[in-house]
Amino acid sequence: MSPRRRGFSLLEVLVALLVLALAMAALVRTAAGAAAQLADRRERVIAQWVASNAISEVRLAPGLPARGIRSGEARMAGRDWRWRMTVADTALPGVRRLDVAVTADDGTAPVLVLTGFAGTP
């Protein structure tokens, strides 16, 4: 009879460590992607609030909004945001289209573009 072996060989341990390292790398990559996606969604939600506020201010003002471009700034969630609104006619008389593009204060591309409508009753 041959003597009984106990434990794992060095090669078996190295292969197990390699498999574990690959699995951990995949988990870290997945977690990092999820964190980046969450940050992007948070930024888009806050930008949507900024755009909604700008549209609401125009809707609450008396009369039909004048055609043209307006811009403004807002501070929300500890950040400065810039918005640019384009007011244009629609096919319906007495209704204007409001396109609001919101960018972060660092001047990057628009985070969000939201469209709304305003009109006279």
Side-chain angles (χ1 to χ4, degrees):
M1 276 200 197
S2 65
R4 201 161 181 201
R5 286 182 23 182
R6 293 184 156 216
F8 297 102
S9 70
L10 179 60
L11 183 60
E12 291 169 333
V13 170
L14 289 176
V15 169
L17 285 175
L18 176 66
V19 169
L20 183 64
L22 291 174
M24 294 294 280
L27 285 174
V28 168
R29 185 177 308 144
T30 301
Q37 193 175 42
L38 180 64
D40 181 58
R41 286 184 182 174
R42 179 182 187 274
E43 190 170 79
R44 290 178 56 83
V45 166
I46 296 169
Q48 184 174 1
W49 291 341
V50 170
S52 293
N53 286 346
I55 290 172
S56 295
E57 287 177 9
V58 170
R59 286 179 178 163
L60 291 173
L64 195 61
R67 288 182 303 272
I69 296 175
R70 306 172 185 203
S71 62
E73 295 180 5
R75 182 152 182 86
M76 189 169 290
R79 275 182 82 180
D80 292 324
W81 299 86
R82 294 185 182 172
W83 55 267
R84 180 180 166 108
M85 179 185 297
T86 304
V87 181
D89 286 327
T90 64
L92 299 173
V95 177
R96 300 266 164 87
R97 178 182 171 133
L98 313 170
D99 292 312
V100 181
V102 179
T103 59
D105 193 36
D106 55 13
T108 58
V111 175
L112 176 94
V113 176
L114 184 66
T115 300
F117 296 90
T120 56

